[in-house]
Amino acid sequence: MAIKVSPLAPDAFPTLSPVAGVRLAAYNCGIRYKGRDDLMVAELAPGTTVAGVLTRSLTASAPVHWCRKGLVGGSARALVVNSGNSNAFTGAAGESLVSQTVATAAQLVGCAPEEVFVASTGVIGQPLPADKIAQNLGAAWEKLDEASWDAAARAIMTTDTFPKGAVATCVIDGKTVTLNGFAKGSGMIAPDMATMLGFLFTDAAIAAPVLQKLLSRATDRSFNCVTVDGDTSTSDTVILVATGQAGNAPITELTDPRLRPFAKALDAVCLDLAQQIVRDGEGATKFVTLTVTGATSNQAAKRIALTVANSPLVKTAVAGEDANWGRIVAAVGRAGEKADRDRLVISIGGVQICANGMEVPGYDEAPVAAHMKGQEIDIQVDLGLGRGKATVWTCDLTHGYIDINGSYRS
């Protein structure tokens, strides 16, 4: 049965040009899905640096534990990513699967095991045979090329209805630098680190410590500002690799002014991917931009924004096209940050609804009701207390979410 693509999906997967020093492939291991690829592999040129942001979940998957150790070395030569099984809460069997996968990939590439990074997404708690992935790596490696971006992005999908990709370019030392990225995510999205899975590739020459700081900062502005359902995954992983093949002189300091265009490009790609994940939220029909201003700090603004964005009552009101601003008031009040009833101002679609502790006199709900019928919903909350601000993105909560997750394992 064909998957119904989200009504919020982009028109097409973007054209991702080759990134020097990166070859990719997709392959069908038969982990869970029939008739589609469920494995993505990437081979990276010698000298590639790496950064990563990983889930803070205390029940993190075996691949997350492996990547956490590998990031210490700052070098990467291969990525191996599977969908259909998260290899989380699988005990010794999960660790064995990672070990065999890594050992086989390291042999194929001719690198140290710690230069192989792995990630998995799918059902939690179902062990796989230790060689399930390893036995297919040789065949997958034979398919490596510089152009398989779309196929790679599709191979890591689970309940996603469309592959998510983004691209940006910039100039460093007169050299054109390319940054490609793809991600997966649709449900269990409240990252607290990154997103479900995201992989970013650039040919810039940037030292690993600098790359790590850039990625952490970009993540806080993008992947950590989206939520679909308030659930952080055991497998959340974002990996950024830099092959150094563009020809720029290596950047080794965060204060290097040559970083500015690259940092801007990285922010743009991460935000694009993060918003695509929300647009593919399970059962989603509306994309919500929620802006909070006037908080006592940026951190307070973000906490308030995420409290509103994660409220099932707010999200179902959006799904029902009901401008029930009282639910927003309630969420602001329980966020655990300072708020003053008489200073709070709430607007939807640019129309001010409440202020001075009550509904705006003469408030006309008609334009707000019309706004709620659209696919792009804007909610603004001003606390009137300080200069703190934050923007987060979420989606509505429909019965489609229940349909998908009520039968996820079947």
Side-chain angles (χ1 to χ4, degrees):
M1 183 177 66
I3 296 176
K4 183 179 180 181
V5 176
S6 168
L8 307 174
D11 292 335
F13 189 81
T15 300
L16 303 186
S17 301
V19 173
V22 178
R23 296 196 303 152
L24 310 96
Y27 194 78
N28 184 2
C29 290
I31 292 173
R32 181 183 180 198
Y33 305 112
K34 295 182 179 179
R36 54 151 284 192
D37 293 331
D38 54 12
L39 181 71
M40 184 278 288
V41 296
E43 184 179 73
L44 311 167
T48 296
T49 56
V50 63
V53 187
L54 305 164
T55 184
R56 294 189 180 119
S57 171
L58 298 183
T59 54
S61 68
V64 166
H65 289 301
W66 176 265
C67 288
R68 205 180 301 280
K69 292 184 293 184
L71 287 171
V72 176
S75 177
R77 292 295 315 283
L79 296 176
V80 180
V81 185
N82 75 274
S83 60
N85 187 301
S86 70
N87 195 17
F89 219 71
T90 47
E95 302 292 343
S96 180
L97 177 65
V98 168
S99 295
Q100 289 212 28
T101 300
V102 166
T104 303
Q107 185 175 23
L108 286 166
V109 179
C111 68
E114 56 268 24
E115 293 180 297
V116 177
F117 287 79
V118 293
S120 300
T121 180
V123 177
I124 294 171
Q126 295 184 357
L128 286 172
D131 64 346
K132 183 66 175 178
I133 296 173
Q135 66 182 346
N136 290 287
L137 286 182
W141 237 259
E142 292 179 1
K143 298 178 65 178
L144 287 169
D145 62 35
E146 298 179 342
S148 296
W149 297 98
D150 189 328
R154 291 179 184 278
I156 65 173
M157 292 166 52
T158 52
T159 59
D160 306 58
T161 69
F162 63 88
K164 301 159 184 66
V167 59
T169 60
C170 65
V171 177
I172 303 177
D173 293 339
K175 307 292 185 181
T176 298
V177 167
T178 301
L179 175 62
N180 287 351
F182 55 84
K184 65 83 51 183
S186 186
M188 199 178 279
I189 301 295
D192 192 28
M193 46 56 63
T195 181
M196 287 289 290
L197 295 182
F199 304 98
L200 308 166
F201 306 80
T202 183
D203 48 9
I206 302 176
V210 177
L211 209 62
Q212 183 61 57
K213 291 175 182 177
L214 289 176
L215 180 61
S216 295
R217 188 169 63 189
T219 293
D220 282 339
R221 298 171 176 174
S222 57
F223 298 119
N224 276 352
C225 289
V226 299
T227 179
V228 168
D229 49 20
D231 268 311
T232 294
S233 169
T234 59
S235 308
D236 294 338
T237 300
V238 166
I239 297 291
L240 167 62
V241 296
T243 66
Q245 303 290 300
N248 66 286
I251 297 176
T252 59
E253 299 291 339
L254 191 63
T255 55
D256 192 324
R258 295 178 299 150
L259 266 183
R260 291 171 188 163
F262 180 81
K264 184 177 180 180
L266 179 61
D267 283 347
V269 168
C270 288
L271 184 57
D272 190 346
L273 292 174
Q275 291 187 354
Q276 286 187 57
I277 287 168
V278 173
R279 292 183 179 279
D280 202 16
E282 291 170 342
T285 64
K286 298 179 185 293
F287 178 82
V288 182
T289 299
L290 176 61
T291 303
V292 172
T293 56
T296 55
S297 67
N298 290 343
Q299 293 78 12
K302 188 172 182 179
R303 183 173 179 181
I304 292 167
L306 286 173
T307 300
V308 177
N310 279 320
S311 167
L313 289 177
V314 172
K315 290 162 70 69
T316 50
V318 172
E321 302 177 346
D322 178 12
N324 191 341
W325 56 269
R327 294 181 176 182
I328 301 172
V329 170
V332 170
R334 67 177 172 81
E337 297 292 342
K338 188 174 180 180
D340 185 324
R341 179 199 66 186
D342 296 333
R343 296 188 179 188
L344 182 63
V345 176
I346 294 175
S347 304
I348 296 178
V351 177
Q352 192 175 110
I353 296 173
C354 68
N356 300 314
M358 60 184 291
E359 183 177 277
V360 172
Y363 160 61
D364 180 6
E365 189 171 319
V368 177
H371 179 75
M372 296 295 291
K373 292 184 180 299
Q375 290 186 336
E376 307 284 327
I377 309 299
D378 292 307
I379 299 174
Q380 304 89 34
V381 176
D382 186 77
L383 280 296
L385 299 173
R387 301 178 64 181
K389 59 183 179 180
T391 300
V392 303
W393 297 271
T394 190
C395 57
D396 55 344
L397 181 60
T398 71
H399 202 283
Y401 182 88
I402 299 172
D403 293 339
I404 292 167
N405 285 284
S407 59
Y408 182 60
R409 294 196 304 162
S410 60

